[in-house]
Structures are given as structure tokens and as C-alpha cells.
Amino acid sequence: MAARSLRLHRLPAAGLALTGLAMFVVLVGPDASVLRAALMGSIAVASLAGGRTGRGLSFLCLAVMGLLLIDPGLGTSFGFLLSVLATLGIIVLGRRMIDWTPPVVPRWAAAAWAVPLSAQLLCGPVIVLLQPQFSTYSLLANLMAAPLVAPVTLLGTAAVPLVVAAPWLATILIAVAGTFSAGVAGTARITAGLPGAALPWPEGPFGLLTMVLLSLLTFAGVWLAVRPRQVFPWVLAVHARTESVLDLLERHLGAPLSRRWPDRRGPGQRGPGLVAAAHRGRLRHCTRISGRNPQWPQPRPHEPGLRRPTRPPGGT
């Protein structure tokens, strides 16, 4: 914003942005998530200076590869993994959810729920490995705390250089930022104290796979909720595809049986198998006994076989 207000060229503006980003990293500390965000921001600033935008996934891949080349130990850091997965979810899933939202909903409102949900869907399986439980109100907590995070970051960062130059102004900024920070902590405590806030979840690989399945079902449920008009044609397409696969399997599996057992049916009879009912679009099972359940074969009266022994007359 400062560079635009001064109407600087792209290269000086990018240098100013990179300088501020480096100062921010020094201020908050070089943690894994901070380094990932800083490197990704640096690549984004460089691309903006070169006149190319809208490549968030490419920026993320370059940031991850660069950090792993500099410090391979980050590959075993859960904080680094969660940071990358959260960013990946926002880039890949968050934009789709925002685009799916009806136009009547403002874009800021769509982003308010799409961004935390997309990050949670990808981070959930890894969080289960760290702590085998499901946070029921995590999405609600993120929605409540999201408006309070930006004032904490901006006011707290702005107060740092003012501590020496204008301590009284820095004190005011820190007090306001502390108030918003207390709101974030209060939101976490309230939602964590609600009944059923932490539900038990399986541990290990089984818990990870079940959480992946839950994330997929949640994403599908969101798609069904926001795009109901696209659901019906998709279901019809899946039904038609399934019907064609069943028909193909019946033809391939029925050919060897017809060669092994000769066909003794009449011209108008059907054999066993799945047959499409006329004008109904359903499948029914057809047997050689039309409309009746086959009975067990009964032995003839004079047919030799096992008979029940009878007692002799007068025997005990």
C-alpha cells in the first residue's frame, strides 16, 4: 500500500515489500510455518514484479522445494506439514468452494467459511495422528476468530517500531491488539468447553484413512448443498454408466456358460440372468420357471434311493 501510494515502479515496490517481509520474519521468529509463508510470499512478490499472477500452487511448490533443499529436517516437522496442507487446501479447494457459492452471497462471506473449511479438510488426517480426536466446533471457532486475527497482526506489527519513537502510541496499539487477542483466546476456550467438543477417534493408519474418508464425504456434501442442480444429471450419468458395465459383464460372463451348457429354450423364452424390464429402467432376475419359485425336486414313488427303515410287526 505504501508503494502504491508513492506510485513506485514494480521493482522498487517489490524490494520494499521483500524488506518488510524479512523484518516480519525477524520479528516473529523463523519457525517452519513462518519460513514457508515468507518464502511463498517472496516468490509471489517476485512474480508480481515480473507481471505474472494467479499461480498460487506453483508458488507453494517452489516454496516447499526451496525450504527442503535449505533444511531437509523440515520434512519431519508436523508444523511445516500442517502449514503446507492448509495452504494447499485453500489454493485447491477453497477457490472451488468460493466459486460454487451462489452469486447472491457476498464473496467475503463465501471466503469466510470456504477458507477455514478447505484448510481443515486437508489438515484433519494429520491432526488425527497427533491427537486422536475430532474437534466438532473447529469450523465454528475459526469463523468466530477470523475477524479478530487481522487487527492483532497489523496493530501488533505497527506498534513495534513505535516503541522507541512514540511509546504512548505504541502502548495504545498494543492495548487494542491485546483486546482482540483476548477475544481469540476467549473464542477458543468457549468452543472447547461446549459439550461434545472433542470426540474420540481411532489412532494410527486406520484413523488417518477414516478421516480422509470423512474429508471426502464433507467435500461432496458441500458440493451437493451449494450446487443441487448439478447433482441430478451427475447421478443419472453414474446410473447409466453402472448399467452399461453390468450389461457388459453379463455378456462376457454369459458367453462361456452358453458354450458349456446348450440352450434348450424355446423361441420366446428367456434364460437366467439380469434382464432389463421394459419401459421401467430396472433390472429383474429371470429364471426358467416363469413367475414361480423353483421347488425342490421330489423323488418318484418307484425311484430307488434312501428309505426310512420300518419296524417289523411286533418288534420293540
Side-chain angles (χ1 to χ4, degrees):
M1 293 174 61
R4 288 185 178 182
S5 62
L6 297 176
R7 296 183 179 181
L8 297 178
H9 193 263
R10 285 187 299 181
L11 293 180
L16 183 62
L18 291 176
T19 303
L21 187 60
M23 293 176 62
F24 184 79
V25 172
V26 173
L27 176 64
V28 299
D31 295 333
S33 59
V34 177
L35 291 176
R36 193 271 317 156
L39 185 55
M40 183 175 177
S42 302
I43 298 173
V45 169
S47 65
L48 288 175
R52 306 186 68 180
T53 60
R55 297 181 175 247
L57 186 59
S58 301
F59 301 156
L60 178 63
C61 294
L62 289 175
V64 171
M65 289 187 294
L67 288 175
L68 291 178
L69 289 175
I70 296 172
D71 186 6
L74 293 176
T76 60
S77 173
F78 276 97
F80 179 73
L81 178 60
L82 289 174
S83 177
V84 173
L85 289 178
T87 309
L88 180 63
I90 294 172
I91 294 174
V92 177
L93 302 181
R95 292 180 178 178
R96 293 180 179 270
M97 294 181 182
I98 294 175
D99 294 337
W100 291 346
T101 307
V104 295
V105 180
R107 193 168 182 84
W108 62 267
W113 67 269
V115 169
L117 179 59
S118 59
Q120 182 178 344
L121 291 180
L122 267 71
C123 292
V126 180
I127 295 176
V128 167
L129 296 178
L130 293 173
Q131 192 172 10
Q133 65 181 21
F134 176 72
S135 300
T136 310
Y137 307 104
S138 58
L139 180 60
L140 177 62
N142 285 325
L143 291 175
M144 296 171 59
L148 308 176
V149 175
V152 175
T153 305
L154 296 177
L155 297 177
T157 305
V160 173
L162 296 176
V163 171
V164 179
W168 60 273
L169 183 56
T171 303
I172 296 176
L173 295 180
I174 291 174
V176 177
T179 304
F180 284 99
S181 180
V184 175
T187 301
R189 283 193 293 266
I190 292 173
T191 54
L194 294 176
L199 300 178
W201 198 267
E203 301 180 2
F206 181 72
L208 185 145
L209 293 177
T210 52
M211 184 57 70
V212 169
L213 179 60
L214 179 61
S215 299
L216 293 176
L217 293 178
T218 304
F219 184 73
V222 170
W223 179 65
L224 294 178
V226 298
R227 287 298 178 94
R229 293 183 178 180
Q230 295 182 358
V231 175
F232 189 67
W234 181 77
V235 172
L236 291 180
V238 172
H239 172 73
R241 184 65 178 176
T242 305
E243 188 177 4
S244 63
V245 170
L246 289 176
D247 187 29
L248 183 64
L249 290 176
E250 184 180 3
R251 282 184 294 177
H252 281 277
L253 295 178
L257 295 178
S258 62
R259 288 195 297 265
R260 293 173 59 183
W261 289 284
D263 192 1
R264 299 179 180 178
R265 295 169 293 172
Q269 297 179 353
R270 293 181 178 270
L274 294 176
V275 183
H279 306 293
R280 292 185 178 272
R282 298 181 180 178
L283 297 176
R284 60 184 178 86
H285 187 266
C286 180
T287 60
R288 290 189 177 89
I289 302 177
S290 175
R292 299 181 181 178
N293 296 326
Q295 303 293 331
W296 291 101
Q298 301 294 332
R300 298 179 180 179
H302 301 288
E303 183 179 0
L306 295 178
R307 296 183 179 180
R308 184 177 179 180
T310 58
R311 296 180 182 180
T316 57

